[in-house]
Amino acid sequence: MTRADAPAQPGTGTATAAPTEQAPRVVARYRSRALSLLWALPVPALLILLWDRGVHGGWTLPLGIQMRYLPTPLEVARRLADLGFGGLIDDTYSGTLWLHLYASTVRVVQGFALAALIAVPLGIVMGRSRLVYRMVEPTINLIRPIPVTAWAPLSLLIIGFGDRSTIFLVFLAAVFAILLNTIAGVQAVPPRLFEAAAMLGTRPAQTLYKVVLPAAVPGIVSGLRIALGLSWVILVVGETVGIRVGLGALITQAREQSRTDLIVAVMIVIGLAGFLADRVLLLAVRMLVRRRPLLPAAT
């Protein structure tokens, strides 16, 4: 028997074929990401160009916005570099970015996690039980329109200055977005899924985590993403009083000293932090439900 006629060893064909089949997919994936990045660059580049021209030209925008009082993009970039690494401006804020960013991130995570732990289970129960929905929904819609900024003075009186007041405000900002989207996601589950589950022998007690929860994932994830963005928005309100370390506190100090370059630099940091937090959230969801076919609709 020649080497060509020898029987193939089991598994050798699939071991060499799998990487060959996966390579085009990996290349296509990275090519798609590169194209997405290229399509996303022109808009911020144009905004930076208009920003620079507006400051140098002293433009007056609608609502009486005087661009001559703004710092230039180069000044903001210089301040950002000094905030992160120091050595350029050498003032009290040099190299302090990571301390402020860490403190703010901890507060956002704590308030957001508390909101998710309460809103997701409550939303599932309200979405499945008409009785609970009728009992709780009027109270929620009575409290929900109250602005979080209106809660800020009250939280300082009943909680006091410090982290807990800020975490409470972040919780209020996040909880209703998660709750309402979870309710909507659960109520949108098609009745045919319950019929199919019953035909396959699924017990009524198992439908909650085998049918309802997987089908409601898109709605829940949408609520989590909206709530996470709102958490970073309200963070600045919570850190303006009684807190010395945090991105909101940094903006407050810069406002008192009329340092517009520092204000804009911290605003950019908050935007980037919110963007990265959203990406991390989506990555965590993909890792948890990677085998669920409904996730792409949520992202």
Side-chain angles (χ1 to χ4, degrees):
M1 179 183 298
T2 62
R3 183 175 300 180
D5 298 331
Q9 295 296 327
T12 55
T14 57
T16 56
T20 305
E21 296 176 356
Q22 293 179 358
R25 297 180 182 177
V26 174
V27 173
R29 185 186 308 168
Y30 282 105
R31 182 181 300 173
S32 176
R33 292 179 180 177
L35 288 175
S36 299
L37 179 61
L38 290 176
W39 278 108
L41 287 178
V43 173
L46 178 61
L47 291 177
I48 292 174
L49 178 61
L50 293 175
W51 172 12
D52 183 72
R53 292 298 88 201
V55 173
H56 285 95
W59 295 355
T60 300
L61 302 182
L63 303 178
I65 299 175
Q66 303 291 330
M67 292 198 67
R68 65 175 179 270
Y69 297 123
L70 290 175
T72 64
L74 183 60
E75 292 172 341
V76 174
R78 185 167 178 262
R79 171 60 73 175
L80 274 172
D82 183 72
L83 268 177
F85 308 103
L88 293 177
I89 301 177
D90 289 333
D91 56 8
T92 56
Y93 303 107
S94 297
T96 61
L97 173 62
W98 310 112
L99 176 64
H100 294 286
L101 180 59
Y102 173 77
S104 295
T105 301
V106 170
R107 295 174 188 130
V108 167
V109 169
Q110 290 179 345
F112 174 77
L114 181 61
L117 288 175
I118 294 176
V120 172
L122 180 60
I124 293 175
V125 174
M126 291 181 63
R128 290 295 299 153
S129 174
R130 293 184 179 179
L131 177 61
V132 176
Y133 182 84
R134 291 176 180 175
M135 292 176 61
V136 181
E137 189 267 345
T139 303
I140 290 175
N141 280 322
L142 179 65
I143 300 175
R144 184 172 61 89
I146 302 175
V148 177
T149 51
W151 287 93
L154 182 62
S155 66
L156 294 177
L157 293 175
I158 63 178
I159 300 177
F161 297 97
D163 291 351
R164 290 182 297 177
S165 177
T166 303
I167 294 170
F168 173 70
L169 294 178
V170 171
F171 164 80
L172 285 177
V175 67
F176 295 112
I178 301 174
L179 179 61
L180 294 179
N181 279 273
T182 301
I183 294 173
V186 172
Q187 291 179 342
V189 177
R192 292 184 178 181
L193 289 182
F194 297 100
E195 299 174 0
M199 292 178 60
L200 294 174
T202 303
R203 299 178 181 178
Q206 297 176 333
T207 57
L208 186 62
Y209 64 91
K210 286 189 175 182
V211 178
V212 176
L213 189 58
V217 164
I220 296 174
V221 173
S222 297
L224 291 173
R225 296 181 68 184
I226 295 173
L228 187 57
L230 290 174
S231 298
W232 284 100
V233 172
I234 298 302
L235 172 74
V236 177
V237 177
E239 291 183 338
T240 53
V241 180
I243 291 179
R244 302 301 299 175
V245 179
L247 297 176
L250 198 55
I251 288 181
T252 303
Q253 297 168 23
R255 181 198 63 193
E256 294 172 352
Q257 301 173 17
S258 299
R259 299 194 178 187
T260 54
D261 60 335
L262 183 57
I263 294 175
V264 177
V266 178
M267 290 171 60
I268 294 174
V269 171
I270 293 175
L272 292 174
F275 176 80
L276 292 177
D278 182 75
R279 298 297 100 180
V280 171
L281 175 63
L282 289 180
L283 178 62
V285 172
R286 288 192 184 100
M287 293 176 64
L288 289 174
V289 292
R290 61 174 59 185
R291 296 183 180 179
R292 300 292 184 184
L294 294 175
L295 182 60
T299 58

